[in-house]
Amino acid sequence: MTQRVREVRVGTATLPLPAPLRLGPMVVTEREYAAVEVETEDGLVGKAYCLTRNGPVAACVERLVAPVVTGRDADPEPRWEDASRATVAIGRTGLVVRAIGLVDIALWDIAAQAAGMPLWRHLGGSDPTSPLMMVAAYPLADRSPESLAEDVVRYGRAGHTLLKVARDHDRSRMRRLLEAAAADLPATTRLVVDAGYGWRSSDEALAELPGWGDTALAWLEDPLVPEDAEGCAAIRRGGGHPVGVGDEVTHIGTFRALLEAGALDVLRLDVPAIGGVTPARAVQALAAARGVPVSLHIYPEVSVHLAPFAPGTIVEAFDAVPGGNPLDPAHLLCTGGPSVRAGTAVAPEEPGLGFELDWGRFRP
């Protein structure tokens, strides 16, 4: 049955953080999210959300993408092509791609609902269970490295096997965090450090990394901006750790350059940022052809559906502890979605994406 798009609704929600959060060169005091709901003439509703990074994502959806898809068949791949061509003068990279991505995700939600199956199965997956990376700790001014390490160790003892912490700009504090965590983690648990584009050059990174001590990492994440493929490759060669790069990348060409430069041990893939499920599948295929594993950046409500399409793909999540994780409050915007177990994420069985947005939290 053909579904036609009747309406695209757009909203924005801003949620404050309890304390300023420093990620690389950025200081985050609140999280802003954009969301879309795409409704068909037959009443199916697809949805998606993403961080705006304080950019006008909702306006891009409303002005540039919604007019292209409204009134047309809700077929994701042709509509992605239409939206990309309609915005070709300004939308090959950046915020417009993220806007296209929101609508694309919502259209895939509709496609799977119309097929009567969860998206992961609609895409060809056979197993809803995927490996999970839990974001375990961010450096905060009022927390000692040893206190943060206790949080990390609790996750490890609960059975999580891949844990991420963010880089502390103070290398001695970073060393204390890594050494305190590694001393008490189970032998099967590995650590990832998110550098958040914190260094300007490979020379800066290579000068700092020895000060972190001898703790082996599963990978060092986003040491430089992803467009600096040669710099990332230099860190991979000389930094002593595997390297993962790709958060917020908006064009597949950036991934090709990273792979050609030998800059990646792990390809980090953000589904809304790359333009949605349609191009994300192409990036997964590109990584698979090079034998490079993929780790999906946040948004587990969507990631759990792409991971089974390429077995071994890692889903990233924040723990929805009682009261919620205060440093990533996205759980306040959603109900349903994947279940998180020790070391694994399990995609839902409901048709489509299997989660709902609390639309009342979003303002037009």
Side-chain angles (χ1 to χ4, degrees), residues 79-359:
R79 298 297 79 78
W80 183 89
E81 183 67 26
D82 290 342
S84 296
R85 293 299 301 166
T87 60
V88 68
I90 58 170
R92 296 186 301 279
T93 61
L95 287 179
V96 177
V97 177
R98 193 179 297 249
I100 294 170
L102 286 178
V103 174
D104 180 81
I105 292 166
L107 291 175
W108 278 105
D109 187 11
I110 289 169
Q113 290 179 48
M117 62 181 68
L119 181 57
W120 63 269
R121 196 182 298 279
H122 185 58
L123 293 175
S126 59
D127 183 353
T129 303
S130 301
L132 175 77
M133 177 170 66
M134 184 66 72
V135 181
Y138 283 125
L140 294 172
D142 62 347
R143 297 285 303 276
S144 70
E146 290 75 19
S147 170
L148 291 170
E150 290 175 1
D151 293 349
V152 176
V153 170
R154 276 195 290 272
Y155 283 115
R157 290 177 175 171
H160 292 283
T161 56
L162 189 60
L163 299 172
K164 185 162 88 172
V165 301
R167 167 185 172 246
D168 194 310
H169 288 241
D170 184 320
R171 71 182 69 186
S172 65
R173 285 174 53 90
M174 191 72 232
R175 180 171 186 154
R176 286 163 57 194
L177 170 59
L178 292 175
E179 290 182 345
D184 291 325
L185 281 172
T188 54
T189 301
R190 300 177 299 154
L191 291 172
V192 172
V193 172
D194 183 358
Y197 326 118
W199 294 295
R200 294 180 176 85
S201 68
S202 57
D203 288 342
E204 278 192 7
L206 294 172
E208 179 176 324
L209 286 169
W212 291 8
D214 298 326
T215 302
L217 302 180
W219 69 80
L220 173 66
E221 188 167 292
D222 288 326
L224 306 174
V225 294
E227 292 76 22
D228 187 356
E230 292 299 331
C232 291
I235 294 170
R236 182 177 180 237
R237 291 192 300 269
H241 302 290
V243 171
V245 182
D247 290 10
E248 313 294 346
V249 166
T250 63
H251 194 278
I252 193 171
T254 302
F255 288 121
R256 291 194 182 101
L258 287 162
L259 290 165
E260 289 294 332
L264 295 180
D265 294 281
V266 177
L267 186 150
R268 289 279 292 166
L269 175 58
D270 184 309
V271 179
I274 198 64
V277 172
T278 297
R281 296 173 74 195
V283 175
Q284 284 182 289
L286 176 67
R290 300 296 186 94
V292 174
V294 171
S295 170
L296 290 158
H297 181 221
I298 55 174
Y299 313 118
E301 297 84 2
V302 175
S303 296
V304 290
H305 293 278
L306 274 170
F309 168 70
T313 299
I314 297 165
V315 172
E316 180 178 25
F318 286 78
D319 191 15
V321 297
N325 186 317
L327 298 177
D328 190 301
H331 64 280
L332 298 174
L333 306 174
C334 307
T335 57
S339 58
V340 172
R341 303 172 185 168
T344 61
V346 184
E349 291 286 349
E350 292 85 358
L353 290 172
F355 83 97
E356 298 297 331
L357 288 171
D358 182 356
W359 198 251

